[in-house]
Amino acid sequence: MNSSLVGNQSGRPFCLLAISYLETINFCLLEVVIIVFLMVLIISGNIIVIFVFHCAPLLNHHTTSYFIQTMAYADLLVGVSCLVPSLSLLHYPIVLSESLVCQIFGYVVSVLKSVSMASLACISIDRYIAITKPLTYNTLVTPWRLRICILIIWLYSCLVFLPSFHWGKPGYHGDVFQWCANSWNTDPYFTLFIVVMLYAPAAFIVCFTYFNIFRICQQHTKEINERRVRFSSQDGEAGEAQPCPDKRYAMVLFRITSVFYILWLPYIIYFLLESSNVYSNRVASFLTTWLAISNSFCNCVIYSLSNSVFQKGLKRLSGAICASCTRQRVAKDSSTSRSKRSSNGCHV
């Protein structure tokens, strides 16, 4: 049986959001609604992204599609893992002990979000190489090397958070469990370890690469426009300013990265404050955690709204689904009409 029921001598459920519930409701209604809503959005959104990538071959021409799909699979697993705290808040009986379940859940979600963070850093490096070394890019970035890089990302993420079982809580993903909120404490040295090994390097790489990408794109755009104006003035035609070809795609990835860090910034700040015993609040713990997890849905939304090739793939997928439904309906109608004709023939 879930130990959170045992720990509550008053009989009321353990709920992080301090809201008075009706006596007839024996579970954390608001928390369950928030988590289930995010779980449905994350799972459905990332399944669509994965299917679109398989249905749109043009998307696979970009090497960044490897990392985008890796993020989609990681975010999909985040959505699936959200089922665990949902069942806990509903007081569904758990076979394993609550302490082990919340530790495993916190570790798994931390690893999955680390994969997303590392993938974003690798995407920025990939775009930086594509712009700074366009002639040797295809020889430097190969599908085989990309697969090795993705494997390293998963292994590194698993190893970074592995000490959490004995060193301290890696984050606040498990605080929906009473044992995690009351007994599993953070350690300032482990927090520093995570910041040095993951957060700081990823943020530095993203800032450095995108700053240089936009600086180079701005310089290329200026040179292209100057040449266009010079040649058009010789021909007597007015030249139009042309943006850098790589800048539009870099902007899509930059938006995904920016939203990622905006949604994760409150979580990281609270993580640091609580670890240093400066501030601790269960409501802030819950809200910052699930705000960060909501990024798993925002990635697919931003990419679908910003990438024209992805939009074409989405239309192709929806068209294929509609065509399949139409064929099934026509086949059903034809079989129904044939059965009616045969039945009428029997009565003649």
Tab-separated table of all heavy atoms in Angstrom, residues 300-330:
chain	number	residue	atom	x	y	z
A	300	CYS	N	7.676	20.513	-29.437
A	300	CYS	CA	7.001	20.115	-30.667
A	300	CYS	C	6.116	21.222	-31.207
A	300	CYS	O	5.961	21.369	-32.429
A	300	CYS	CB	6.185	18.833	-30.436
A	300	CYS	SG	5.072	18.878	-29.023
A	301	VAL	N	5.540	22.053	-30.330
A	301	VAL	CA	4.700	23.162	-30.785
A	301	VAL	C	5.531	24.194	-31.533
A	301	VAL	O	5.164	24.644	-32.634
A	301	VAL	CB	3.971	23.812	-29.594
A	301	VAL	CG1	3.252	25.076	-30.031
A	301	VAL	CG2	2.994	22.842	-28.966
A	302	ILE	N	6.665	24.572	-30.949
A	302	ILE	CA	7.521	25.577	-31.586
A	302	ILE	C	8.042	25.068	-32.922
A	302	ILE	O	8.039	25.801	-33.927
A	302	ILE	CB	8.697	25.943	-30.660
A	302	ILE	CG1	8.184	26.581	-29.379
A	302	ILE	CG2	9.656	26.893	-31.357
A	302	ILE	CD1	9.231	26.765	-28.315
A	303	TYR	N	8.472	23.825	-32.958
A	303	TYR	CA	9.036	23.289	-34.195
A	303	TYR	C	7.969	23.188	-35.279
A	303	TYR	O	8.222	23.481	-36.444
A	303	TYR	CB	9.645	21.909	-33.934
A	303	TYR	CG	10.656	21.503	-34.976
A	303	TYR	CD1	11.939	22.024	-34.954
A	303	TYR	CD2	10.329	20.608	-35.985
A	303	TYR	CE1	12.871	21.665	-35.909
A	303	TYR	CE2	11.253	20.240	-36.942
A	303	TYR	CZ	12.524	20.773	-36.900
A	303	TYR	OH	13.437	20.432	-37.849
A	304	SER	N	6.750	22.800	-34.905
A	304	SER	CA	5.685	22.653	-35.895
A	304	SER	C	5.214	24.002	-36.424
A	304	SER	O	4.799	24.112	-37.577
A	304	SER	CB	4.498	21.897	-35.283
A	304	SER	OG	3.980	22.606	-34.174
A	305	LEU	N	5.293	25.048	-35.599
A	305	LEU	CA	4.853	26.371	-36.029
A	305	LEU	C	5.937	27.145	-36.759
A	305	LEU	O	5.637	28.125	-37.444
A	305	LEU	CB	4.376	27.186	-34.818
A	305	LEU	CG	3.136	26.675	-34.087
A	305	LEU	CD1	2.833	27.559	-32.883
A	305	LEU	CD2	1.932	26.624	-35.024
A	306	SER	N	7.185	26.734	-36.638
A	306	SER	CA	8.290	27.519	-37.180
A	306	SER	C	8.919	26.907	-38.429
A	306	SER	O	9.521	27.627	-39.218
A	306	SER	CB	9.382	27.697	-36.113
A	306	SER	OG	8.856	28.299	-34.949
A	307	ASN	N	8.785	25.599	-38.616
A	307	ASN	CA	9.473	24.928	-39.720
A	307	ASN	C	8.480	24.611	-40.825
A	307	ASN	O	7.522	23.860	-40.623
A	307	ASN	CB	10.141	23.644	-39.210
A	307	ASN	CG	11.086	23.044	-40.234
A	307	ASN	OD1	10.642	22.500	-41.233
A	307	ASN	ND2	12.369	23.143	-39.976
A	308	SER	N	8.712	25.179	-42.012
A	308	SER	CA	7.792	24.992	-43.141
A	308	SER	C	7.786	23.543	-43.625
A	308	SER	O	6.736	23.015	-44.004
A	308	SER	CB	8.166	25.934	-44.286
A	308	SER	OG	9.507	25.703	-44.711
A	309	VAL	N	8.960	22.897	-43.635
A	309	VAL	CA	9.030	21.500	-44.073
A	309	VAL	C	8.260	20.604	-43.108
A	309	VAL	O	7.560	19.671	-43.518
A	309	VAL	CB	10.497	21.042	-44.182
A	309	VAL	CG1	10.577	19.587	-44.614
A	309	VAL	CG2	11.256	21.919	-45.152
A	310	PHE	N	8.358	20.907	-41.810
A	310	PHE	CA	7.608	20.142	-40.814
A	310	PHE	C	6.105	20.332	-41.018
A	310	PHE	O	5.327	19.387	-40.893
A	310	PHE	CB	8.008	20.577	-39.400
A	310	PHE	CG	7.391	19.750	-38.306
A	310	PHE	CD1	8.032	18.628	-37.832
A	310	PHE	CD2	6.162	20.091	-37.772
A	310	PHE	CE1	7.463	17.848	-36.820
A	310	PHE	CE2	5.589	19.322	-36.768
A	310	PHE	CZ	6.239	18.208	-36.299
A	311	GLN	N	5.683	21.553	-41.344
A	311	GLN	CA	4.268	21.814	-41.595
A	311	GLN	C	3.767	21.021	-42.796
A	311	GLN	O	2.650	20.487	-42.778
A	311	GLN	CB	4.060	23.311	-41.808
A	311	GLN	CG	4.311	24.145	-40.565
A	311	GLN	CD	4.267	25.633	-40.848
A	311	GLN	OE1	3.977	26.063	-41.966
A	311	GLN	NE2	4.571	26.439	-39.838
A	312	LYS	N	4.601	20.930	-43.846
A	312	LYS	CA	4.218	20.125	-45.015
A	312	LYS	C	4.104	18.652	-44.642
A	312	LYS	O	3.195	17.950	-45.088
A	312	LYS	CB	5.245	20.313	-46.127
A	312	LYS	CG	5.259	21.710	-46.730
A	312	LYS	CD	6.328	21.830	-47.802
A	312	LYS	CE	6.379	23.244	-48.371
A	312	LYS	NZ	7.463	23.397	-49.393
A	313	GLY	N	5.047	18.174	-43.816
A	313	GLY	CA	4.979	16.791	-43.363
A	313	GLY	C	3.751	16.524	-42.515
A	313	GLY	O	3.137	15.464	-42.601
A	314	LEU	N	3.371	17.513	-41.675
A	314	LEU	CA	2.178	17.368	-40.848
A	314	LEU	C	0.919	17.317	-41.709
A	314	LEU	O	0.009	16.519	-41.450
A	314	LEU	CB	2.102	18.532	-39.860
A	314	LEU	CG	0.972	18.496	-38.834
A	314	LEU	CD1	1.065	17.242	-37.976
A	314	LEU	CD2	1.010	19.743	-37.951
A	315	LYS	N	0.876	18.161	-42.756
A	315	LYS	CA	-0.265	18.129	-43.680
A	315	LYS	C	-0.318	16.798	-44.421
A	315	LYS	O	-1.391	16.242	-44.653
A	315	LYS	CB	-0.158	19.284	-44.674
A	315	LYS	CG	-0.370	20.663	-44.052
A	315	LYS	CD	-0.230	21.754	-45.090
A	315	LYS	CE	-0.417	23.136	-44.451
A	315	LYS	NZ	-0.251	24.226	-45.444
A	316	ARG	N	0.867	16.294	-44.777
A	316	ARG	CA	0.914	15.002	-45.473
A	316	ARG	C	0.411	13.883	-44.575
A	316	ARG	O	-0.327	13.001	-45.025
A	316	ARG	CB	2.353	14.724	-45.910
A	316	ARG	CG	2.532	13.395	-46.627
A	316	ARG	CD	4.001	13.198	-47.006
A	316	ARG	NE	4.218	11.880	-47.581
A	316	ARG	CZ	5.403	11.431	-47.956
A	316	ARG	NH1	6.475	12.184	-47.815
A	316	ARG	NH2	5.528	10.222	-48.466
A	317	LEU	N	0.805	13.933	-43.288
A	317	LEU	CA	0.359	12.910	-42.343
A	317	LEU	C	-1.148	12.986	-42.133
A	317	LEU	O	-1.846	11.967	-42.167
A	317	LEU	CB	1.092	13.084	-41.011
A	317	LEU	CG	0.663	12.145	-39.875
A	317	LEU	CD1	0.945	10.692	-40.246
A	317	LEU	CD2	1.390	12.511	-38.578
A	318	SER	N	-1.668	14.206	-41.923
A	318	SER	CA	-3.109	14.365	-41.733
A	318	SER	C	-3.882	13.971	-42.986
A	318	SER	O	-4.962	13.380	-42.912
A	318	SER	CB	-3.429	15.807	-41.346
A	318	SER	OG	-2.976	16.706	-42.348
A	319	GLY	N	-3.311	14.298	-44.168
A	319	GLY	CA	-3.966	13.894	-45.415
A	319	GLY	C	-4.012	12.400	-45.582
A	319	GLY	O	-5.015	11.839	-46.050
A	320	ALA	N	-2.908	11.731	-45.190
A	320	ALA	CA	-2.881	10.269	-45.287
A	320	ALA	C	-3.901	9.638	-44.342
A	320	ALA	O	-4.576	8.662	-44.702
A	320	ALA	CB	-1.481	9.755	-44.973
A	321	ILE	N	-4.034	10.213	-43.131
A	321	ILE	CA	-5.005	9.686	-42.167
A	321	ILE	C	-6.425	9.886	-42.680
A	321	ILE	O	-7.267	8.980	-42.614
A	321	ILE	CB	-4.817	10.360	-40.796
A	321	ILE	CG1	-3.465	9.969	-40.196
A	321	ILE	CG2	-5.952	9.973	-39.848
A	321	ILE	CD1	-3.138	10.695	-38.907
A	322	CYS	N	-6.692	11.096	-43.228
A	322	CYS	CA	-8.029	11.372	-43.763
A	322	CYS	C	-8.344	10.475	-44.954
A	322	CYS	O	-9.470	9.982	-45.098
A	322	CYS	CB	-8.132	12.837	-44.178
A	322	CYS	SG	-8.073	13.998	-42.799
A	323	ALA	N	-7.335	10.238	-45.831
A	323	ALA	CA	-7.549	9.362	-46.991
A	323	ALA	C	-7.827	7.939	-46.545
A	323	ALA	O	-8.681	7.248	-47.120
A	323	ALA	CB	-6.328	9.404	-47.899
A	324	SER	N	-7.103	7.476	-45.505
A	324	SER	CA	-7.335	6.129	-44.989
A	324	SER	C	-8.743	5.994	-44.408
A	324	SER	O	-9.425	4.993	-44.637
A	324	SER	CB	-6.285	5.800	-43.927
A	324	SER	OG	-6.519	4.538	-43.352
A	325	CYS	N	-9.163	7.037	-43.658
A	325	CYS	CA	-10.512	7.011	-43.086
A	325	CYS	C	-11.567	7.014	-44.189
A	325	CYS	O	-12.597	6.330	-44.089
A	325	CYS	CB	-10.710	8.212	-42.155
A	325	CYS	SG	-9.680	8.181	-40.672
A	326	THR	N	-11.311	7.802	-45.255
A	326	THR	CA	-12.260	7.869	-46.370
A	326	THR	C	-12.362	6.528	-47.071
A	326	THR	O	-13.464	6.062	-47.410
A	326	THR	CB	-11.816	8.955	-47.367
A	326	THR	OG1	-11.707	10.206	-46.683
A	326	THR	CG2	-12.817	9.077	-48.502
A	327	ARG	N	-11.208	5.868	-47.305
A	327	ARG	CA	-11.232	4.562	-47.964
A	327	ARG	C	-11.984	3.533	-47.119
A	327	ARG	O	-12.740	2.717	-47.642
A	327	ARG	CB	-9.802	4.088	-48.218
A	327	ARG	CG	-9.110	4.821	-49.368
A	327	ARG	CD	-7.855	4.077	-49.811
A	327	ARG	NE	-6.879	3.984	-48.729
A	327	ARG	CZ	-5.915	4.870	-48.520
A	327	ARG	NH1	-5.803	5.931	-49.312
A	327	ARG	NH2	-5.058	4.706	-47.527
A	328	GLN	N	-11.758	3.576	-45.803
A	328	GLN	CA	-12.450	2.634	-44.938
A	328	GLN	C	-13.962	2.876	-44.954
A	328	GLN	O	-14.753	1.934	-44.962
A	328	GLN	CB	-11.913	2.749	-43.508
A	328	GLN	CG	-10.496	2.220	-43.339
A	328	GLN	CD	-9.998	2.358	-41.921
A	328	GLN	OE1	-10.715	2.855	-41.045
A	328	GLN	NE2	-8.775	1.919	-41.673
A	329	ARG	N	-14.345	4.165	-44.975
A	329	ARG	CA	-15.771	4.489	-44.997
A	329	ARG	C	-16.414	4.068	-46.320
A	329	ARG	O	-17.522	3.531	-46.345
A	329	ARG	CB	-15.961	5.986	-44.762
A	329	ARG	CG	-17.428	6.381	-44.641
A	329	ARG	CD	-17.600	7.780	-44.067
A	329	ARG	NE	-16.915	8.768	-44.875
A	329	ARG	CZ	-15.823	9.426	-44.473
A	329	ARG	NH1	-15.298	9.152	-43.281
A	329	ARG	NH2	-15.251	10.318	-45.252
A	330	VAL	N	-15.692	4.322	-47.435
A	330	VAL	CA	-16.212	3.911	-48.744
A	330	VAL	C	-16.329	2.399	-48.833
A	330	VAL	O	-17.328	1.855	-49.340
A	330	VAL	CB	-15.302	4.458	-49.868
A	330	VAL	CG1	-15.688	3.860	-51.214
A	330	VAL	CG2	-15.380	5.971	-49.926
